[in-house]
Amino acid sequence: MMNPVEALSTVAPIPTVVPGNTPEYQAASDTGSRTLWVVFVIMVISSLAFYAMAFRVPVQKRLFHILTAFITTFAAISYFAMASGDGKSLSLTVIKESHKHVPDTIQEVYREVYWARYVDWSVTTPLLLLDLCFLAGLNGASILVAVVADLIMVLTGLFAAFGAGNEGQKWGYYAMACIAYLVIVYQLAYHGRATAMSKDSKTGTFFAAIGGFTLILWTVYPIIWGVADGSRQIGVDAEIIAYAVLDVLAKPVFGFWLLFTHDAMSSNTLSIEGFWAHGLGKEGTLRVGDDDEGA
C-alpha cells in the first residue's frame, strides 16, 4: 500500500495564480507606422497629379478627375491621422476558457482599431462607386442603391470592429456587411456591365476590366477584416500592410487607369454642361421684389 504522504505528493499542486488574467495588447510597431506614412505620401502625390490632370481638360470634362482626386485626398487625410497617432482606439475582446479542475480563465485582449479607416471608406468608396456608375451610365435608382449598400457595408464593419466583445454580435454585423457588398456586386456586375455594353464596345470592355479589378480588390477587404479585427489571427502590422496594398491599388492605381484610359477615349468622354460648367444662368437666378405678371 502506498504511503499516504507519497500519495499526496503525486497530486499536482493547485496553482495559486490563475493564468490569463494579464491583459494582452495588440498594437502597431514602427513597421506599421512607417507603412502608414508611405501610403500617406503616395496619396498626396496622386492627389496632386489628379488635380493637375483636371486642369488640363475643360471644366465640362472634369467630373471623373474631380471625383478621383477627392478619393485620394480623403485617403491622404485618413492616413495622416493614422500615421500621426490619431484615428485609432482600443477595442476590447474578452476570451473565456472553461477548465475541469481549475477555475475558468478570462483573457482580455485589447487591439488597436483604426476608426479613421472606416471614416475614409465611408467617403471614398461612394465616390469610387460614382466613378464606376457614371462610366457605365447607370440610372439614378441603381446608383442610389449601390451607394446606400456601400454605406451599410462600411458602417456595419465599424460596428463589428468595436462590438461589445460578443462574438455573435460581431459576426452578425459582418454578415450584414457581406450581404450589402453582394448588392453592390449585383448593381455593378449585372446592371452596370449591361448598361456599359449598350453604349459601345470600348466603354463596355473598359468597364468590365476596371470594374472587375475593383470588385476583386473589394472582395479581399472582408477577408483581411476576418483574419484581423474579426478573429485576430494576424497582428496589427500585418493588417496595416495588407490594407495599405489594397488601398494603393484601389485608389491611386485605379485613378490613373481610369483617367488615362477615359481621356484617351475622346469620342466617349463624358461632358457636362449647365450648372456644372457655367453655374447659375440668368434663368436660374432668384428675383426678389418683382411684381408678378399681371398684378
Side-chain angles (χ1 to χ4, degrees), residues 29-107:
S29 68
D30 290 341
T31 300
S33 179
R34 285 193 294 268
T35 302
L36 293 172
W37 281 116
V38 169
V39 179
F40 163 70
V41 173
I42 293 174
M43 295 298 178
V44 170
I45 294 174
S46 300
S47 299
L48 295 175
F50 294 149
Y51 286 121
M53 293 173 69
F55 282 108
R56 296 177 59 186
V57 298
V59 67
Q60 295 92 332
K61 299 182 179 182
R62 290 180 185 172
L63 177 62
F64 290 109
H65 301 77
I66 297 300
L67 290 175
T68 306
F70 283 169
I71 291 171
T72 51
T73 299
F74 283 111
I77 296 172
S78 170
Y79 269 92
F80 179 80
M82 293 187 288
S84 60
D86 290 331
K88 63 182 179 181
S89 297
L90 290 176
S91 176
L92 170 63
T93 300
V94 179
I95 303 174
K96 183 177 180 179
E97 295 184 2
S98 299
H99 306 279
K100 291 183 178 180
H101 304 295
V102 295
D104 294 345
T105 58
I106 295 177
Q107 178 69 58

Side-chain angles (χ1 to χ4, degrees), residues 89-226:
S89 297
L90 290 176
S91 176
L92 170 63
T93 300
V94 179
I95 303 174
K96 183 177 180 179
E97 295 184 2
S98 299
H99 306 279
K100 291 183 178 180
H101 304 295
V102 295
D104 294 345
T105 58
I106 295 177
Q107 178 69 58
E108 294 180 343
V109 179
Y110 291 89
R111 184 183 178 92
E112 280 185 348
V113 175
Y114 289 88
W115 55 262
R117 193 186 306 281
Y118 295 89
V119 176
D120 169 8
W121 291 339
S122 68
V123 178
T124 58
T125 53
L127 292 174
L128 197 150
L129 280 177
L130 289 179
D131 266 341
L132 292 175
C133 290
F134 289 147
L135 175 65
L138 273 176
N139 58 63
S142 296
I143 293 175
L144 180 61
V145 170
V147 170
V148 171
D150 178 72
L151 291 174
I152 292 174
M153 177 182 68
V154 175
L155 291 177
T156 49
L158 175 62
F159 297 155
F162 283 100
N166 185 312
E167 291 294 311
Q169 179 195 61
K170 174 193 297 185
W171 294 109
Y173 281 131
Y174 180 81
M176 295 178 196
C178 291
I179 293 172
Y181 174 60
L182 292 178
V183 174
I184 298 172
V185 173
Y186 175 75
Q187 293 296 332
L188 292 180
Y190 181 73
H191 289 301
R193 187 172 182 275
T195 305
M197 287 296 183
S198 67
K199 294 174 68 175
D200 59 83
S201 59
K202 287 185 178 180
T203 302
T205 302
F206 177 46
F207 177 81
I210 197 168
F213 170 78
T214 301
L215 291 179
I216 290 173
L217 292 177
W218 282 26
T219 302
V220 180
Y221 277 95
I223 297 175
I224 299 301
W225 191 98

Side-chain angles (χ1 to χ4, degrees), residues 5 19 54 77 136 162 164 191 273 287 290:
V5 176
I77 296 172
F162 283 100
H191 289 301
E273 301 290 341
R287 291 176 291 181
D290 289 351

Side-chain angles (χ1 to χ4, degrees), residues 238-294:
E239 173 191 348
I240 290 174
I241 294 171
Y243 281 139
V245 173
L246 290 175
D247 282 346
V248 170
L249 292 174
K251 293 168 184 175
V253 173
F254 167 89
F256 283 113
W257 185 10
L258 172 67
L259 296 184
F260 280 126
T261 305
H262 187 264
D263 289 350
M265 299 165 57
S266 57
S267 59
N268 301 317
T269 300
L270 180 64
S271 180
I272 303 177
E273 301 290 341
F275 172 72
W276 172 270
H278 308 292
L280 289 175
K282 183 178 180 181
E283 68 281 359
T285 58
L286 296 176
R287 291 176 291 181
V288 179
D290 289 351
D291 293 336
D292 293 335
E293 185 178 351

